[in-house]
Amino acid sequence: MFIIDSPSHDAYFNVALEEYLLYKYPTEDIFLLYINAPSIIVGKFQNTLAEINLDYVNAQQIKVVRRMSGGGAVYHDLGNLNFSFHTLLGSNDFMDFSKFTAPVIKVLNSLDVPAKLEGRNDLLVDGKKFSGNAKLAKNGKMIQHGTILFNSDMSVLGDALKMNPLKYVDKAIKSNRARVTNLIDYFPTEISTDDLKELLIEEMLENNVGAKIYQLTSEDLVGIGDLIKEKYQTWDWNFGFSPKYNFKNAKKIPAGFIEVHLDVTKGIIEKIKIFGDFFASNPIEELESQFLGKKHELAEIERILASNDLTNYFGKVTLEEILELFK
């Protein structure tokens, strides 16, 4: 078994690292630990925009990254420790989450933290969730990864993952906002995220024959960097990969009531209809046609709106008022 402590807090890097290791070491067992700077990690089959508070995320410069596995969206920051097990697919029951959460529970229990696995894939303490786990099967291997809420900023977590469910209609997997807690107050003595990480590494070294620490090479860093550029920092993967959805938003502004409806496939606007009681000198269809085939992305939408005299379509309005309808 290779034990890897990621040298980076970059969410793009660490999500890419998981995929890189999958192909670089197709037969090797791996235990990976990493800590991300503020970021939202979205499940593979989710509609990203329906899971996040986009205005808040952009204002706080929180990275949004889609992972390879399914499940719900989670918030990461420097108070959140993440662990990942890679093993051969046929050697373990895919639906059994207990084997690879057991080392985490063992370490926490040794510190008098009453952690336990409940339900299918959650770790709880006093009935509150501190770890969610997900799995994937790919390239003949199975990956099980999970989070450990250690001392995460709960106020940011709540704001970053707060989205209006009335704006989106889709069949994408929705996140379950369970009652969550940090572990920091459950430890009888002072302990840091790095301390917990070291204890987990010691546990894996002691109880896995042949386990050894693996340091990423310069070749590895190049390969991971290529994967970041080609996939994990791209709009196409993080937003455009989202399942088909319908978006609607409405707002009352001084010029009147305006309602926007979009049909979006793989992040691209296929249909658009703008309704309202506003007065316009130009037919609204002229403006609508400019959005077809374009990304449902604020920068792209703002570019289209800014290239038009919006008073011709809505009367006396501002760019910001109309842009708000597409958020």
Side-chain angles (χ1 to χ4, degrees):
M1 171 182 281
F2 289 158
I3 298 175
I4 302 173
D5 181 4
S6 171
S8 176
H9 293 324
D10 183 348
Y12 293 147
F13 181 96
N14 288 319
V15 178
L17 173 58
E18 289 213 274
E19 181 170 350
Y20 174 83
L21 292 172
L22 191 66
Y23 292 98
K24 178 70 181 288
Y25 296 106
T27 61
E28 189 74 42
D29 283 354
I30 295 171
F31 177 60
L32 169 67
L33 289 164
Y34 58 92
I35 298 171
N36 285 327
S39 50
I40 295 175
I41 313 300
V42 180
K44 183 177 181 181
F45 307 109
Q46 292 193 293
N47 173 8
T48 302
L49 289 173
E51 295 294 328
I52 66 175
N53 180 345
L54 188 62
D55 285 341
Y56 182 85
V57 166
N58 288 339
Q60 299 297 317
Q61 297 182 313
I62 297 171
K63 288 183 177 177
V64 178
V65 194
R66 186 184 300 277
R67 61 178 184 267
M68 291 186 294
S69 63
V74 290
Y75 173 72
H76 288 178
D77 62 15
L78 297 178
N80 187 325
L81 177 61
N82 305 282
F83 61 95
S84 177
F85 288 90
H86 298 215
T87 189
L88 289 176
L89 180 58
S91 59
N92 294 279
D93 178 0
F94 185 78
M95 296 309 296
D96 179 15
F97 283 82
S98 62
K99 178 176 180 178
F100 297 118
T101 53
V104 176
I105 293 172
K106 181 181 177 182
V107 168
L108 291 174
N109 289 169
S110 72
L111 298 168
D112 296 328
V113 177
K116 57 183 177 178
L117 174 67
E118 289 195 12
R120 184 183 61 178
N121 60 334
D122 293 337
L123 299 185
L124 277 66
V125 61
D126 288 346
K128 290 171 282 189
K129 177 178 173 180
F130 69 85
S131 174
N133 292 264
K135 280 193 179 183
L136 69 101
K138 198 176 184 68
N139 198 39
K141 294 194 81 174
M142 178 180 76
I143 294 179
Q144 179 176 319
H145 46 196
T147 61
I148 300 175
L149 284 170
F150 183 82
N151 193 21
S152 191
D153 189 333
M154 292 296 188
S155 64
V156 176
L157 184 155
D159 289 336
L161 294 176
K162 187 188 299 178
M163 188 58 215
N164 181 355
L166 300 178
K167 289 185 180 181
Y168 294 91
V169 178
D170 59 34
K171 295 182 179 180
I173 295 170
K174 301 297 187 295
S175 296
N176 177 23
R177 305 291 181 230
R179 188 182 180 197
V180 298
T181 190
N182 279 311
L183 289 181
I184 187 67
D185 294 329
Y186 287 89
F187 294 100
T189 57
E190 187 172 328
I191 186 173
S192 70
T193 314
D194 285 333
D195 292 334
L196 180 58
K197 183 165 60 174
E198 289 304 315
L199 289 171
L200 286 169
I201 290 173
E202 289 174 13
E203 169 67 22
M204 299 308 296
L205 285 171
E206 290 175 6
N207 292 284
N208 292 274
V209 177
K212 58 184 179 181
I213 303 294
Y214 178 89
Q215 301 288 345
L216 297 177
T217 66
S218 56
E219 177 188 351
D220 293 332
L221 296 177
V222 170
I224 296 161
D226 289 342
L227 197 52
I228 291 170
K229 287 183 285 188
E230 294 165 6
K231 183 175 182 178
Y232 284 103
Q233 68 179 12
T234 68
W235 180 90
D236 286 344
W237 172 250
N238 294 322
F239 291 89
F241 189 82
S242 295
K244 183 175 182 177
Y245 60 88
N246 305 112
F247 169 90
K248 66 177 180 179
N249 197 12
K251 190 175 183 181
K252 182 74 170 69
I253 61 175
F257 178 81
I258 305 175
E259 186 172 337
V260 171
H261 289 243
L262 305 175
D263 289 351
V264 183
T265 300
K266 295 192 180 301
I268 303 299
I269 298 171
E270 290 191 335
K271 293 181 181 179
I272 177 172
K273 190 60 188 172
I274 301 174
F275 303 96
D277 59 4
F278 49 87
F279 295 99
S281 58
N282 288 11
I284 196 64
E285 290 80 7
E286 286 183 3
L287 180 63
E288 291 171 341
S289 66
Q290 297 179 46
F291 291 95
L292 298 177
K294 301 298 193 297
K295 296 177 180 178
H296 186 199
E297 178 189 35
L298 285 184
E300 178 80 349
I301 290 168
E302 184 173 9
R303 184 192 63 78
I304 295 169
L305 293 174
S307 67
N308 287 272
D309 183 350
L310 297 178
T311 60
N312 290 333
Y313 301 104
F314 301 104
K316 190 175 181 180
V317 296
T318 66
L319 171 62
E320 290 72 23
E321 286 172 335
I322 304 303
L323 186 61
E324 279 290 322
L325 287 158
F326 289 85
K327 295 181 179 180

